Amino acid sequence: QWLDSIGDDLTNYLFCIGLALGQARVQGEDWIAIFGYATLFVQCLGTGINYRRLIKLGTGDLLAIPDTLSRDAADKGLMGALFKPLRAISKRDVFVLIVAGLTALQQPLLAFMLFAVGSFPTVVGVVINDIRVGRMHAESGDE
């Protein structure tokens, strides 16, 4: 489980920073590289939070972390209906497929921007979810 999680994360993050640095060079724009490094930092921050939670849970499987955000959205009618397809698109494998597809269609800058812009709200969600899961475990005496 750990090997799969770490391998996925390293592959995704190296792909993203590679897109950023490659496009910074091709476009001659330093801001792309800077945004790439900021994205890498944010991605590593979110990964660190998730890995800390996995260690507490005694597993390497990211699916073992309860998803309090989806549960809340599913209970909220129209918001739940809007959130459901967005949640499906944001699944790691689907998201990486979209980014890889854009890259294959000769749109590497768009692919990087989608990957980068998607990383920031994802990490906010990871932080909120981790706080909620920590509270759940504290209330049950597991934390």
Side-chain angles (χ1 to χ4, degrees), residues 22-49:
Q23 285 304 292
R25 185 173 184 190
V26 168
Q27 304 287 336
E29 299 286 345
D30 291 339
W31 69 267
I32 300 172
I34 294 166
F35 193 41
Y37 286 120
T39 300
L40 181 62
F41 173 78
V42 167
Q43 291 169 335
C44 289
L45 177 67
T47 298
I49 291 167

Side-chain angles (χ1 to χ4, degrees), residues 74-143:
D75 297 338
K76 293 198 168 80
L78 179 60
M79 285 305 290
L82 294 173
F83 190 74
K84 189 174 181 177
L86 183 61
R87 185 76 179 141
I89 291 170
S90 70
K91 297 277 187 193
R92 184 194 319 228
D93 292 340
V94 174
F95 189 71
V96 169
L97 178 64
I98 292 168
V99 169
L102 286 170
T103 303
L105 293 171
Q106 303 297 313
Q107 298 299 318
L109 183 58
L110 179 59
F112 164 68
M113 294 304 290
L114 179 64
F115 204 130
V117 170
S119 294
F120 289 84
T122 298
V123 171
V124 170
V126 165
V127 170
I128 292 168
N129 192 65
D130 189 64
I131 291 167
R132 290 178 176 181
V133 170
R135 286 182 186 153
M136 286 174 21
H137 286 192
E139 289 170 3
S140 68
D142 293 341
E143 188 86 350

Side-chain angles (χ1 to χ4, degrees), residues 11-22:
T11 301
N12 293 334
Y13 300 164
L14 291 172
F15 181 72
C16 182
I17 194 68
L19 277 174
L21 297 178

